[in-house]
mmCIF file of all heavy atoms in Angstrom:
data_model
loop_
_atom_site.group_PDB
_atom_site.id
_atom_site.type_symbol
_atom_site.label_atom_id
_atom_site.label_comp_id
_atom_site.label_asym_id
_atom_site.label_seq_id
_atom_site.Cartn_x
_atom_site.Cartn_y
_atom_site.Cartn_z
ATOM 1 N N ASP A 119 1.785 -2.290 -5.946
ATOM 2 C CA ASP A 119 1.380 -3.689 -6.036
ATOM 3 C C ASP A 119 2.561 -4.640 -5.867
ATOM 4 O O ASP A 119 2.475 -5.639 -5.165
ATOM 5 C CB ASP A 119 0.706 -3.980 -7.378
ATOM 6 C CG ASP A 119 -0.737 -3.509 -7.414
ATOM 7 O OD1 ASP A 119 -1.348 -3.392 -6.335
ATOM 8 O OD2 ASP A 119 -1.246 -3.252 -8.512
ATOM 9 N N LYS A 120 3.670 -4.348 -6.542
ATOM 10 C CA LYS A 120 4.845 -5.219 -6.468
ATOM 11 C C LYS A 120 6.107 -4.364 -6.492
ATOM 12 O O LYS A 120 6.249 -3.489 -7.347
ATOM 13 C CB LYS A 120 4.842 -6.214 -7.630
ATOM 14 C CG LYS A 120 5.910 -7.278 -7.515
ATOM 15 C CD LYS A 120 5.723 -8.355 -8.587
ATOM 16 C CE LYS A 120 6.737 -9.458 -8.441
ATOM 17 N NZ LYS A 120 6.585 -10.488 -9.488
ATOM 18 N N VAL A 121 6.998 -4.652 -5.563
ATOM 19 C CA VAL A 121 8.209 -3.852 -5.398
ATOM 20 C C VAL A 121 9.397 -4.779 -5.157
ATOM 21 O O VAL A 121 9.269 -5.806 -4.490
ATOM 22 C CB VAL A 121 8.067 -2.893 -4.183
ATOM 23 C CG1 VAL A 121 9.295 -2.047 -4.001
ATOM 24 C CG2 VAL A 121 6.849 -2.026 -4.327
ATOM 25 N N LYS A 122 10.518 -4.382 -5.711
ATOM 26 C CA LYS A 122 11.785 -5.043 -5.419
ATOM 27 C C LYS A 122 12.543 -4.105 -4.489
ATOM 28 O O LYS A 122 12.755 -2.933 -4.814
ATOM 29 C CB LYS A 122 12.550 -5.286 -6.717
ATOM 30 C CG LYS A 122 13.865 -5.984 -6.529
ATOM 31 C CD LYS A 122 14.439 -6.511 -7.836
ATOM 32 C CE LYS A 122 14.734 -5.469 -8.854
ATOM 33 N NZ LYS A 122 15.489 -5.986 -10.003
ATOM 34 N N VAL A 123 12.910 -4.593 -3.305
ATOM 35 C CA VAL A 123 13.542 -3.761 -2.282
ATOM 36 C C VAL A 123 14.998 -4.199 -2.116
ATOM 37 O O VAL A 123 15.279 -5.400 -2.033
ATOM 38 C CB VAL A 123 12.783 -3.883 -0.935
ATOM 39 C CG1 VAL A 123 13.453 -3.040 0.136
ATOM 40 C CG2 VAL A 123 11.322 -3.482 -1.111
ATOM 41 N N TYR A 124 15.893 -3.225 -2.067
ATOM 42 C CA TYR A 124 17.313 -3.510 -1.882
ATOM 43 C C TYR A 124 17.575 -3.955 -0.446
ATOM 44 O O TYR A 124 17.145 -3.298 0.503
ATOM 45 C CB TYR A 124 18.143 -2.262 -2.193
ATOM 46 C CG TYR A 124 19.615 -2.436 -1.943
ATOM 47 C CD1 TYR A 124 20.402 -3.157 -2.827
ATOM 48 C CD2 TYR A 124 20.218 -1.897 -0.815
ATOM 49 C CE1 TYR A 124 21.758 -3.328 -2.600
ATOM 50 C CE2 TYR A 124 21.565 -2.053 -0.584
ATOM 51 C CZ TYR A 124 22.341 -2.770 -1.477
ATOM 52 O OH TYR A 124 23.678 -2.939 -1.242
ATOM 53 N N GLY A 125 18.252 -5.078 -0.299
ATOM 54 C CA GLY A 125 18.585 -5.602 1.017
ATOM 55 C C GLY A 125 20.071 -5.878 1.147
ATOM 56 O O GLY A 125 20.724 -6.309 0.189
ATOM 57 N N LEU A 126 20.602 -5.657 2.341
ATOM 58 C CA LEU A 126 22.030 -5.837 2.601
ATOM 59 C C LEU A 126 22.200 -6.762 3.807
ATOM 60 O O LEU A 126 21.772 -6.427 4.917
ATOM 61 C CB LEU A 126 22.666 -4.474 2.873
ATOM 62 C CG LEU A 126 24.173 -4.411 2.973
ATOM 63 C CD1 LEU A 126 24.818 -4.810 1.648
ATOM 64 C CD2 LEU A 126 24.613 -3.006 3.345
ATOM 65 N N LEU A 127 22.806 -7.926 3.578
ATOM 66 C CA LEU A 127 23.040 -8.891 4.634
ATOM 67 C C LEU A 127 24.051 -8.320 5.632
ATOM 68 O O LEU A 127 25.067 -7.750 5.233
ATOM 69 C CB LEU A 127 23.571 -10.195 4.033
ATOM 70 C CG LEU A 127 23.752 -11.383 4.962
ATOM 71 C CD1 LEU A 127 22.421 -11.862 5.526
ATOM 72 C CD2 LEU A 127 24.454 -12.520 4.224
ATOM 73 N N GLU A 128 23.771 -8.468 6.923
ATOM 74 C CA GLU A 128 24.669 -7.932 7.950
ATOM 75 C C GLU A 128 26.007 -8.669 7.978
ATOM 76 O O GLU A 128 27.023 -8.093 8.357
ATOM 77 C CB GLU A 128 24.003 -7.993 9.322
ATOM 78 C CG GLU A 128 22.860 -7.007 9.459
ATOM 79 C CD GLU A 128 22.155 -7.069 10.799
ATOM 80 O OE1 GLU A 128 22.422 -7.989 11.606
ATOM 81 O OE2 GLU A 128 21.321 -6.180 11.037
ATOM 82 N N GLU A 129 26.014 -9.941 7.578
ATOM 83 C CA GLU A 129 27.248 -10.714 7.543
ATOM 84 C C GLU A 129 27.833 -10.676 6.133
ATOM 85 O O GLU A 129 27.101 -10.668 5.160
ATOM 86 C CB GLU A 129 26.987 -12.187 7.921
ATOM 87 C CG GLU A 129 26.422 -12.389 9.301
ATOM 88 C CD GLU A 129 24.909 -12.191 9.384
ATOM 89 O OE1 GLU A 129 24.230 -12.154 8.340
ATOM 90 O OE2 GLU A 129 24.407 -12.064 10.502
ATOM 91 N N ASP A 130 29.156 -10.688 6.016
ATOM 92 C CA ASP A 130 29.767 -10.766 4.692
ATOM 93 C C ASP A 130 30.515 -12.080 4.497
ATOM 94 O O ASP A 130 31.075 -12.330 3.450
ATOM 95 C CB ASP A 130 30.681 -9.574 4.416
ATOM 96 C CG ASP A 130 31.856 -9.475 5.379
ATOM 97 O OD1 ASP A 130 31.925 -10.260 6.336
ATOM 98 O OD2 ASP A 130 32.707 -8.593 5.159
ATOM 99 N N LYS A 131 30.504 -12.929 5.540
ATOM 100 C CA LYS A 131 31.125 -14.247 5.470
ATOM 101 C C LYS A 131 30.132 -15.293 5.951
ATOM 102 O O LYS A 131 29.329 -15.039 6.842
ATOM 103 C CB LYS A 131 32.384 -14.291 6.335
ATOM 104 C CG LYS A 131 33.509 -13.423 5.802
ATOM 105 C CD LYS A 131 34.766 -13.623 6.626
ATOM 106 C CE LYS A 131 35.960 -13.022 5.975
ATOM 107 N NZ LYS A 131 36.139 -11.655 5.989
ATOM 108 N N CYS A 132 30.217 -16.475 5.368
ATOM 109 C CA CYS A 132 29.365 -17.585 5.787
ATOM 110 C C CYS A 132 29.665 -17.917 7.244
ATOM 111 O O CYS A 132 30.839 -18.004 7.641
ATOM 112 C CB CYS A 132 29.636 -18.799 4.901
ATOM 113 S SG CYS A 132 28.790 -20.304 5.422
ATOM 114 N N LEU A 133 28.625 -18.103 8.032
ATOM 115 C CA LEU A 133 28.800 -18.420 9.446
ATOM 116 C C LEU A 133 29.264 -19.855 9.656
ATOM 117 O O LEU A 133 29.640 -20.226 10.770
ATOM 118 C CB LEU A 133 27.500 -18.172 10.204
ATOM 119 C CG LEU A 133 27.002 -16.728 10.199
ATOM 120 C CD1 LEU A 133 25.710 -16.603 10.996
ATOM 121 C CD2 LEU A 133 28.055 -15.773 10.723
ATOM 122 N N ILE A 134 29.274 -20.651 8.584
ATOM 123 C CA ILE A 134 29.671 -22.051 8.707
ATOM 124 C C ILE A 134 31.085 -22.291 8.160
ATOM 125 O O ILE A 134 31.933 -22.810 8.858
ATOM 126 C CB ILE A 134 28.624 -22.957 8.026
ATOM 127 C CG1 ILE A 134 27.328 -22.759 8.791
ATOM 128 C CG2 ILE A 134 29.062 -24.416 8.011
ATOM 129 C CD1 ILE A 134 26.091 -23.203 8.279
#
Side-chain angles (χ1 to χ4, degrees):
D119 281 336
K120 188 172 183 181
V121 181
K122 181 166 62 170
V123 179
Y124 176 76
L126 188 63
L127 186 65
E128 290 178 351
E129 299 82 14
D130 62 354
K131 292 186 168 75
C132 173
L133 298 181
I134 297 166

